[in-house]
Amino acid sequence: MKLSIDNVCKTYRGGKTALQNFSLHAGPGILGLLGPNGAGKSTLMRILATITLPSSGTVAWSGVDIARSPDGLRAVLGYLPQDFGVYGNLNAVEFLEYLAAAKGIDGRAARRRIAELLDVVNLADAAHRPLRTFSGGMKQRIGIAQALLNDPQLLIADEPTAGLDPEERLRFRNLLSELAGDRIVILSTHIVSDVETCASTIALIARGKLLAHDSPAALLRPVEGHVWEWVVAAEDLPAVRQRFPTGSVAHRGDGVHVRLLAERSPGAGAWPAAPTLEDAYLSWIAAGRGERS
Amino acid sequence: MTRGGVLYHLARADFLQRVRSYGFLVTLGFTAYFCYLCLPPQHAGYVTMRMGGHRGLYDSAYIGTLVSMQVTLILSLAGFYVVKNAVERDLRTGVGQILATTPLTGTLYTVGKAISNFAVLAAMVATIAAAAAAMQLARHEDTAIHVWQLAAPFLFIVLPVMAAVAGIAVLFEVIPPLRGGGGNAVYFFVWIFATALLAGMLELPKSLQGADLVAASLVIPSVLSACDATFAGCGSARDFSLGFTFGPEHFDLTTFQWTGIHWNLGILLTRLPWFALGAGFALLAGALFHRFDPARERRGHAPAPEIDAPEEQKTAASTKAVHATLSRLADSERRFQFAALIRGELRIALHGVNRGWYLLALVLAAGSLAAPVVVARYCLAAAWICPLLIWSGLGTREASEGTHQLVFSTPHPLRRQLPACLLAGLAVAVLTGSGAAVRLLIAGDMGGLAAWCTGALFIPTLALALGVWSGSSKLFEVVYLVLWYIGPANQFAALDFTGASGSSARTTATFLAVTAALGAFALAGRQRPIRQ
């Protein structure tokens, strides 16, 4: 079970390039795909999910090119798109039964699986309500359930926690960790906290290019000793932002607390801080833009 | 900003959104082609207006007027379907929700949409007028182009009717039951009824000439009079035809010169009511417009009040650990069942269909089984128009409901989901037309049964092909309605796909071949979004 992405490019009609020479190899575990909005994450997800073809390059699932033979992957694929619709007149069970049939799951097994999944995503009590009455978060959980229907070997989730409340978010992350043992889970997001606790490796992507692909610990290494917290006057904040890549900013009684990246102490009163994945992400993205300090 | 400014920007944005698309370019291409068809050369197998064995010389006045009359007739139908999506687009894209929170009044909104509709239709009319000028040169009977004589009929015959079409399209859109396919069907029958009155228009009193759709009461006496001046007796000719008339042989018509209509204020005033009608429809739409309030949408067509997890469930969830586990799916449980997928497609297709529909389908099936032959054939025709809106969802639902990414990432979507979708449509045709099938079987009419089977397969295949390629249910609704009206409803054997008017084996074979081609067309169309 291996997913190989080699030199994948995707250019849309009109000339917009979404992916440039993107290469990545993934095995069992959770791969967090992290990048800002418009980085090319959803395009990559759609290519991996066999929805769209790359303009060039290859994606292979266990050695088989998915552009030539997509159905081998589709049989073991679970896909949660960023934006998806549901048939509003159907209830949750009917909708999942339909998708189970499309995915080739035996009828009896599908019914058992659907009951189990609705319980897992906390929708058992709403199982027979029309989907049009579901809130955004409930609809998202139906999306999660359908992605898990066929017990996928490759689970692709594009911004899966959008619309989920904190408890459901945590529950979903735990479910992913549980599932990731012997399958590949690709979790695409721009929210660092979604991946920092559960991802075994993280791929950073910006402007269609892969910036880095490593374990969270390895990604933190380059920023160790370069993260600072500094209290500055509110009027100095624009100048600080111009000089350094900045993270969180908090207005407090003693001034503005700024978390920033710098090779050396940015000024008097600044103190070093323990780096987090968010700092590493900021550093890589800034480097991608050519702003890294 | 003044109301005029608001209207301008509203209409402008909507107009630009619509015309900046490949679809609109294709539409313009079709309208220009229609102009070409309106002006057949000598020896053609059809004519568009003739008085016995005569027609007018193709000069600016005659071409302008003839094309205007034809265009008015066709755009009063097709134009409605082209522009009837202005409000729906705002609803679908969510822009409507934003507009609803602005101070924009409902009336300004609907009037702005009507103006945008009118601008789109006017752009199509302008394209046809330009094509008409080109055709005058191409036909080479009179190469002197008189701009006023050519353009005036477009301005005074076509545009007023387009204003009414623009207004009524908005009105249909703000009335939820008329917004979808139901409204498309209603408009079609209203249009049939209105154009059926056309034949009597020549006898209209002067005070009612404004209601004359194509200004026939104004044009035809004048043309007949000019014909009579050249060919004595032509003016009283009963052998007059307007519209596409096909003959068994080629037409060799002799020509006469017609100087056109002398437009004066009195004549223009008779065309003004059409503008008034358009404005009236737009204002009425404003009064009925509910500002995208989901609570006032039809059940099943709007996001119903969202529910969240019930309180007891929330409590249970909170006490339950935030850990979740999932069992494994055995290999033996991965077994594709085609019947289950067809059942799923059928369930999706029939969800939201009310009991009255089933009752009507049952009555029509019984009628086509047991009623006298004359009645039974109409029962079958009616039975196969009832599921119009069920079939029109085939091939489009994945796009319109946003489930395409879920469905197309399942294994073998072309081999499995597409045929299942087709078979669900076929099942609807078989069930609704079952009475006629049983009757044919009892009578031992195998030829009729073969025609029926072909018809039952033809309808969903047509729906699927048009739906997959257009991405909208509208194209099938319009094409099928026209086909159904000419074929089964009017018993035109060559287009009667039900076989009820005694279609020949050749017709059955033709429909079978067309069905096969449509199937291949659907397959190719579905391949596009999957393998872009």
Side-chain angles (χ1 to χ4, degrees), chain B residues 74-88:
Chain B
I74 201 74
L75 275 192
S76 59
L77 178 68
F80 172 84
Y81 297 112
V82 169
V83 297
K84 191 182 145 268
N85 56 9
V87 180
E88 186 266 335

mmCIF file of all heavy atoms in Angstrom, chain B residues 74-88:
data_model
loop_
_atom_site.group_PDB
_atom_site.id
_atom_site.type_symbol
_atom_site.label_atom_id
_atom_site.label_comp_id
_atom_site.label_asym_id
_atom_site.label_seq_id
_atom_site.Cartn_x
_atom_site.Cartn_y
_atom_site.Cartn_z
ATOM 1 N N ILE B 74 -40.472 32.239 -32.568
ATOM 2 C CA ILE B 74 -39.574 31.245 -31.951
ATOM 3 C C ILE B 74 -38.969 31.766 -30.652
ATOM 4 O O ILE B 74 -38.842 31.036 -29.673
ATOM 5 C CB ILE B 74 -38.484 30.772 -32.952
ATOM 6 C CG1 ILE B 74 -37.917 29.425 -32.523
ATOM 7 C CG2 ILE B 74 -37.374 31.753 -33.145
ATOM 8 C CD1 ILE B 74 -38.837 28.275 -32.759
ATOM 9 N N LEU B 75 -38.602 33.059 -30.624
ATOM 10 C CA LEU B 75 -37.991 33.581 -29.389
ATOM 11 C C LEU B 75 -39.011 33.788 -28.274
ATOM 12 O O LEU B 75 -38.650 33.848 -27.107
ATOM 13 C CB LEU B 75 -37.255 34.890 -29.668
ATOM 14 C CG LEU B 75 -35.815 34.780 -30.184
ATOM 15 C CD1 LEU B 75 -35.128 36.137 -30.126
ATOM 16 C CD2 LEU B 75 -34.997 33.765 -29.419
ATOM 17 N N SER B 76 -40.273 33.913 -28.646
ATOM 18 C CA SER B 76 -41.275 34.026 -27.576
ATOM 19 C C SER B 76 -41.351 32.710 -26.811
ATOM 20 O O SER B 76 -41.789 32.675 -25.664
ATOM 21 C CB SER B 76 -42.646 34.408 -28.143
ATOM 22 O OG SER B 76 -43.073 33.436 -29.075
ATOM 23 N N LEU B 77 -40.899 31.619 -27.435
ATOM 24 C CA LEU B 77 -40.837 30.331 -26.724
ATOM 25 C C LEU B 77 -39.409 30.085 -26.206
ATOM 26 O O LEU B 77 -39.175 30.026 -24.999
ATOM 27 C CB LEU B 77 -41.256 29.190 -27.655
ATOM 28 C CG LEU B 77 -41.179 27.788 -27.044
ATOM 29 C CD1 LEU B 77 -42.221 27.614 -25.944
ATOM 30 C CD2 LEU B 77 -41.383 26.711 -28.102
ATOM 31 N N ALA B 78 -38.473 29.979 -27.158
ATOM 32 C CA ALA B 78 -37.098 29.624 -26.770
ATOM 33 C C ALA B 78 -36.466 30.699 -25.889
ATOM 34 O O ALA B 78 -35.722 30.387 -24.958
ATOM 35 C CB ALA B 78 -36.255 29.395 -28.016
ATOM 36 N N GLY B 79 -36.772 31.968 -26.180
ATOM 37 C CA GLY B 79 -36.190 33.070 -25.416
ATOM 38 C C GLY B 79 -36.556 32.990 -23.942
ATOM 39 O O GLY B 79 -35.746 33.299 -23.059
ATOM 40 N N PHE B 80 -37.774 32.541 -23.684
ATOM 41 C CA PHE B 80 -38.220 32.391 -22.293
ATOM 42 C C PHE B 80 -37.298 31.426 -21.547
ATOM 43 O O PHE B 80 -36.858 31.698 -20.432
ATOM 44 C CB PHE B 80 -39.666 31.876 -22.287
ATOM 45 C CG PHE B 80 -40.178 31.490 -20.933
ATOM 46 C CD1 PHE B 80 -40.696 32.447 -20.070
ATOM 47 C CD2 PHE B 80 -40.144 30.165 -20.502
ATOM 48 C CE1 PHE B 80 -41.173 32.092 -18.818
ATOM 49 C CE2 PHE B 80 -40.610 29.800 -19.259
ATOM 50 C CZ PHE B 80 -41.135 30.771 -18.411
ATOM 51 N N TYR B 81 -36.989 30.303 -22.205
ATOM 52 C CA TYR B 81 -36.148 29.299 -21.547
ATOM 53 C C TYR B 81 -34.693 29.773 -21.439
ATOM 54 O O TYR B 81 -33.992 29.390 -20.512
ATOM 55 C CB TYR B 81 -36.231 27.969 -22.297
ATOM 56 C CG TYR B 81 -37.620 27.395 -22.290
ATOM 57 C CD1 TYR B 81 -38.370 27.313 -23.459
ATOM 58 C CD2 TYR B 81 -38.215 26.983 -21.105
ATOM 59 C CE1 TYR B 81 -39.667 26.804 -23.446
ATOM 60 C CE2 TYR B 81 -39.502 26.491 -21.077
ATOM 61 C CZ TYR B 81 -40.228 26.402 -22.258
ATOM 62 O OH TYR B 81 -41.510 25.921 -22.229
ATOM 63 N N VAL B 82 -34.283 30.615 -22.394
ATOM 64 C CA VAL B 82 -32.909 31.138 -22.333
ATOM 65 C C VAL B 82 -32.741 32.064 -21.126
ATOM 66 O O VAL B 82 -31.739 31.999 -20.421
ATOM 67 C CB VAL B 82 -32.550 31.882 -23.647
ATOM 68 C CG1 VAL B 82 -31.241 32.653 -23.494
ATOM 69 C CG2 VAL B 82 -32.438 30.901 -24.811
ATOM 70 N N VAL B 83 -33.727 32.916 -20.891
ATOM 71 C CA VAL B 83 -33.537 33.931 -19.833
ATOM 72 C C VAL B 83 -34.122 33.544 -18.480
ATOM 73 O O VAL B 83 -33.880 34.235 -17.488
ATOM 74 C CB VAL B 83 -34.117 35.314 -20.260
ATOM 75 C CG1 VAL B 83 -33.393 35.848 -21.461
ATOM 76 C CG2 VAL B 83 -35.620 35.245 -20.491
ATOM 77 N N LYS B 84 -34.874 32.455 -18.434
ATOM 78 C CA LYS B 84 -35.525 32.122 -17.154
ATOM 79 C C LYS B 84 -34.538 31.447 -16.190
ATOM 80 O O LYS B 84 -34.637 30.263 -15.874
ATOM 81 C CB LYS B 84 -36.721 31.190 -17.402
ATOM 82 C CG LYS B 84 -37.605 31.003 -16.181
ATOM 83 C CD LYS B 84 -38.707 30.039 -16.502
ATOM 84 C CE LYS B 84 -39.064 29.177 -15.334
ATOM 85 N NZ LYS B 84 -38.387 27.921 -15.237
ATOM 86 N N ASN B 85 -33.551 32.204 -15.780
ATOM 87 C CA ASN B 85 -32.619 31.684 -14.768
ATOM 88 C C ASN B 85 -31.958 32.811 -13.973
ATOM 89 O O ASN B 85 -31.012 32.578 -13.252
ATOM 90 C CB ASN B 85 -31.534 30.807 -15.412
ATOM 91 C CG ASN B 85 -30.767 31.531 -16.496
ATOM 92 O OD1 ASN B 85 -30.915 32.744 -16.667
ATOM 93 N ND2 ASN B 85 -29.963 30.812 -17.242
ATOM 94 N N ALA B 86 -32.474 34.024 -14.127
ATOM 95 C CA ALA B 86 -31.828 35.163 -13.473
ATOM 96 C C ALA B 86 -31.969 35.095 -11.950
ATOM 97 O O ALA B 86 -30.987 35.259 -11.224
ATOM 98 C CB ALA B 86 -32.433 36.462 -14.005
ATOM 99 N N VAL B 87 -33.158 34.839 -11.471
ATOM 100 C CA VAL B 87 -33.386 34.764 -10.021
ATOM 101 C C VAL B 87 -32.803 33.456 -9.481
ATOM 102 O O VAL B 87 -32.188 33.423 -8.416
ATOM 103 C CB VAL B 87 -34.895 34.860 -9.703
ATOM 104 C CG1 VAL B 87 -35.132 34.786 -8.199
ATOM 105 C CG2 VAL B 87 -35.483 36.152 -10.262
ATOM 106 N N GLU B 88 -33.002 32.392 -10.268
ATOM 107 C CA GLU B 88 -32.506 31.071 -9.861
ATOM 108 C C GLU B 88 -30.984 31.112 -9.644
ATOM 109 O O GLU B 88 -30.469 30.493 -8.725
ATOM 110 C CB GLU B 88 -32.889 30.056 -10.948
ATOM 111 C CG GLU B 88 -32.581 28.594 -10.606
ATOM 112 C CD GLU B 88 -31.237 28.153 -11.127
ATOM 113 O OE1 GLU B 88 -30.758 28.741 -12.112
ATOM 114 O OE2 GLU B 88 -30.652 27.240 -10.532
#
